[in-house]
Amino acid sequence: MNKTPWYKNAIFYELYVRAFRDSNADGHGDLRGVIEKLDYLQFLGVDCLWLLPIYPSPLKDDGYDIADYYDIHPDYGILADFEALIRAAHARGLRVITDLVLNHTSDQHPWFQAACADRNSPYRDYYVWSDSDQKYKEARIIFLDTETSNWTWDEQAGQYYWHRFYSSQPDLNFDNPAVQEEMLNVARFWLELGIDGFRVDAPPYLFEREGTNCENLPETHAYLKRFRAFVAQINPQAVLLSEANQWPEDVRPYFGEGDEMHMNFHFPLMPRLYQALAQADRTPIVEVMRRTPPLPANCQWATFLRCHDELTLEMVSPEVRQFLWETYAPEPRMRLNLGIRRRLAPLMNNDHRKIELLYSLLFSLPGAPTLYYGDEIGMGDNIWLPDREGVRTPMQWVAEPPHGGFAPPEAQPYAPVINDPVSGYAQVNVASQMDDPNSLLHTVRRMIVLRKAHPTFGEADLTWLETPKAVAAFLRPGPEETLLAVHNLSAHPQTIPLPTGRFTGLLDERIVQGHLTLPPYGYWWGRISTT
Ligand code: NOJ
């Protein structure tokens, strides 16, 4: 019997429901729209959909500001639609996880409204209050471009409340046992509807303690372990995919002894992939992988190139951050907080060699790859939209105006569909790439098929080959086969010596031994059978 947990080799697909497909012409993507597109997702070959928050919300932070944990945002549908989506996805062998925001609610949540209205309300203690804004001074501000403090004065409440993100997102008080219980109830509700787990938003910040930076506290880990045990009781297969944006050694405790989060995004790896490519030097990747601690057997890294947020540069030095900003975000509009608000294809100047190269690294390095909707076709972005909205524009399905298949013609989309001469829906869309076997979509799909056919990619160790620094070449030695992945990070052809043996190409049919020559930004995958 295969005991490997499903998520260790899964391909995740991050999907913003509002942006995917509008089935009822109201201009907003919806759950029925996602159901319409399940055939496409099945064709692409992904295993698990990760839905951005779908709860009722004033959408000041695109749903990460939850006003009701037990319902669906009316723009997206109703609970019955959600259940229909789960059923339809499961019928196709696709799993579904949803975003769960533990740390904070919207200021529109009835708990917060009651807390502000009445000091004696049982909900007052659901949030973190103070008469001064001087507590917890060592906690950094995350949304640097908009927030000047983690405290905001509420006139009605007559006190300051604590928030790690927008001031419209008051932090919950996890020192209150009632809050801890509430979140278990929320988890139970969605698990009983049949979901396959949660993407756990912003877990490092649940507790506050004076004299600390209020991140990664022991109390936070203790609660997450309790949360995990609770989730496992309801659905032992459910995954918790955590978003602890921290250095590898600080992320490691989130896995516990295999009894806390099953997965965590590998935030430090992500910017180093871009750095290595820009500098034609594999060193940043090698170093961060060396610094990456081993995980308990039932745990896995989630790797990614882009997501719905800015390409965060929190996990690099100030010098490297400056370099990456200058390289990938030359215009001030392209920068946000400590990151870059651009999509994968424009970051690569639409150079498909480089886009494919990054995908090849993503699929061949350890971890479970996560794709961001639209990046599989090389969608563009719109830096003129506010905040991170420029990377959350409508999915481009077909070349037809007016909305590229995102919504029926009479709809007014929630955001303009990308329509520029390079990345607009007329040039970049699913339908035309489906018809073209050399398209990015087909290339990504081929990598997914291979990645799934060779679980060694998800599980084996990583051994670097001695090559010129412009080449990132590594072996993944598994019990049944040894895989080889070679990447030329430079604009010049590179020839490297290979380990002894005859390697059979996975992406092409070549048999290679002795040496391998790669064109500029070329990549190659091979295998040697060891059984
Ligand atoms: C992390 C999410 O990825 C981001 O989009 C959100 O703004 C913050 N958490 C706050 O919930």
Side-chain angles (χ1 to χ4, degrees):
M1 202 182 85
N2 180 7
K3 291 233 180 60
T4 308
W6 66 268
Y7 46 82
K8 284 196 74 162
N9 280 308
I11 316 283
F12 289 78
Y13 187 89
E14 182 189 0
L15 189 161
Y16 182 33
V17 174
R18 178 178 303 279
F20 211 55
R21 162 74 188 156
D22 170 13
S23 73
N24 62 355
D26 68 353
H28 303 282
D30 45 51
L31 296 168
R32 292 272 159 198
V34 178
I35 295 175
E36 282 177 26
K37 297 299 183 186
L38 288 176
D39 285 347
Y40 166 70
L41 295 165
Q42 201 175 11
F43 159 83
L44 183 58
V46 296
D47 299 291
C48 183
L49 312 182
W50 151 28
L51 307 184
L52 262 65
I54 48 172
Y55 315 87
S57 159
L59 299 177
K60 290 189 189 152
D61 186 11
D62 273 341
Y64 286 96
D65 45 337
I66 298 175
D68 178 359
Y69 283 91
Y70 294 99
D71 210 342
I72 301 288
H73 193 290
D75 288 350
Y76 301 162
I78 57 174
L79 277 168
D81 298 329
F82 184 74
E83 289 177 283
L85 169 60
I86 300 289
R87 274 196 306 275
H90 285 175
R92 289 169 164 81
L94 283 166
R95 289 184 161 88
V96 181
I97 65 172
T98 56
D99 235 300
L100 180 62
V101 186
L102 300 175
N103 182 66
H104 46 268
T105 68
S106 161
D107 58 4
Q108 305 300 307
H109 195 291
W111 298 340
F112 190 67
Q113 307 261 301
C116 290
D118 178 4
R119 249 179 212 254
N120 298 316
S121 158
Y123 294 111
R124 182 75 170 201
D125 197 33
Y126 271 40
Y127 296 89
V128 181
W129 300 97
S130 171
D131 291 327
S132 97
D133 59 359
Q134 296 304 305
K135 283 169 83 177
Y136 312 136
K137 290 299 257 186
E138 288 162 52
R140 69 192 164 118
I141 294 171
I142 296 170
F143 285 163
L144 279 169
D145 286 5
T146 34
E147 301 302 318
T148 48
S149 167
N150 288 323
W151 291 106
T152 291
W153 176 258
D154 185 86
E155 206 49 57
Q156 194 189 18
Q159 276 191 307
Y160 291 95
Y161 62 89
W162 178 250
H163 55 90
R164 292 310 301 270
F165 296 93
Y166 287 127
S167 58
S168 51
Q169 293 165 302
D171 271 36
L172 285 164
N173 173 19
F174 273 83
D175 275 315
N176 181 348
V179 167
Q180 298 198 10
E181 286 296 322
E182 290 278 9
M183 287 304 151
L184 301 183
N185 292 336
V186 170
R188 181 189 1 245
F189 177 80
W190 292 97
L191 289 165
E192 286 178 351
L193 286 180
I195 62 163
D196 299 287
F198 297 106
R199 181 263 193 187
V200 181
D201 184 69
Y205 319 107
L206 300 187
F207 286 79
E208 300 75 36
R209 290 290 178 265
E210 205 55 78
T212 74
N213 66 359
C214 299
E215 298 185 18
N216 314 323
L217 296 176
E219 294 83 349
T220 294
H221 287 295
Y223 180 69
L224 291 174
K225 284 196 169 72
R226 181 178 170 207
F227 187 82
R228 156 70 176 269
F230 181 84
V231 165
Q233 260 174 19
I234 300 169
N235 179 356
Q237 310 299 322
V239 72
L240 296 175
L241 167 51
S242 125
E243 187 227 6
N245 182 356
Q246 303 283 332
W247 292 101
E249 50 278 18
D250 295 325
V251 172
R252 178 62 188 81
Y254 285 87
F255 296 99
E257 298 313 314
D259 57 354
E260 205 171 309
M261 304 281 106
H262 305 81
M263 301 180 74
N264 198 92
F265 291 105
H266 203 317
F267 278 96
L269 171 63
M270 182 274 297
R272 286 169 179 78
L273 298 172
Y274 292 91
Q275 183 190 351
L277 179 54
Q279 296 175 337
D281 180 354
R282 70 173 179 275
T283 311
I285 309 177
V286 175
E287 282 176 356
V288 81
M289 292 313 289
R290 290 226 166 100
R291 197 176 158 179
T292 299
L295 299 181
N298 60 345
C299 293
Q300 180 63 298
W301 295 103
T303 49
F304 65 109
L305 298 173
R306 287 295 292 114
C307 71
H308 64 292
D309 288 325
E310 67 273 30
L311 190 168
T312 173
L313 302 175
E314 277 167 282
M315 293 297 125
V316 293
S317 67
E319 298 72 38
V320 172
R321 184 177 307 138
Q322 196 56 36
F323 167 77
L324 290 171
W325 264 331
E326 282 164 18
T327 308
Y328 292 114
E331 305 282 341
R333 281 290 307 180
M334 296 170 175
R335 303 179 189 183
L336 181 72
N337 300 319
L338 286 184
I340 301 173
R341 50 172 158 197
R342 301 187 75 194
R343 267 189 181 266
L344 178 63
L347 280 165
M348 295 296 115
N349 284 326
N350 293 295
D351 184 336
H352 276 220
R353 298 172 307 172
K354 293 184 184 175
I355 300 172
E356 288 184 21
L357 185 73
L358 284 178
Y359 270 122
S360 172
L361 283 162
L362 178 75
F363 284 113
S364 59
L365 282 167
T370 304
L371 306 180
Y372 183 48
Y373 88 92
D375 279 352
E376 74 276 24
I377 54 170
M379 242 170 79
D381 53 31
N382 181 350
I383 58 168
W384 301 105
L385 295 176
D387 200 350
R388 292 148 291 177
E389 290 169 28
V391 300
R392 301 175 183 178
T393 60
M395 180 70 174
Q396 297 169 199
W397 294 104
V398 295
E400 270 93 78
H403 310 312
F406 161 67
E410 66 275 23
Q412 281 293 327
Y414 71 94
V417 186
I418 302 279
N419 193 13
D420 64 55
V422 178
S423 310
Y425 62 86
Q427 289 74 30
V428 176
N429 62 69
V430 170
S432 60
Q433 295 200 19
M434 283 269 206
D435 290 344
D436 174 4
N438 297 317
S439 63
L440 183 61
L441 175 61
H442 275 281
T443 304
V444 170
R445 179 173 181 267
R446 272 195 294 278
M447 288 188 193
I448 291 176
V449 168
L450 285 170
R451 158 83 212 207
K452 285 166 66 170
H454 298 276
T456 305
F457 278 128
E459 292 164 36
D461 290 342
L462 174 72
T463 316
W464 292 92
L465 299 188
E466 286 298 325
T467 60
K469 67 181 185 164
V471 176
F474 44 83
L475 294 172
R476 309 294 313 281
E480 280 148 29
E481 59 181 0
T482 289
L483 301 176
L484 165 72
V486 186
H487 303 87
N488 179 1
L489 304 168
S490 79
H492 310 285
Q494 299 281 344
T495 299
I496 60 152
L498 292 181
T500 322
R502 280 162 60 85
F503 288 90
T504 311
L506 292 177
L507 292 155
D508 60 22
E509 310 278 272
R510 274 190 292 166
I511 306 279
V512 174
Q513 71 188 116
H515 284 81
L516 176 69
T517 299
L518 289 178
Y521 305 114
Y523 58 94
W524 194 76
W525 296 2
R527 91 181 264 277
I528 293 186
S529 165
T530 43
T531 54

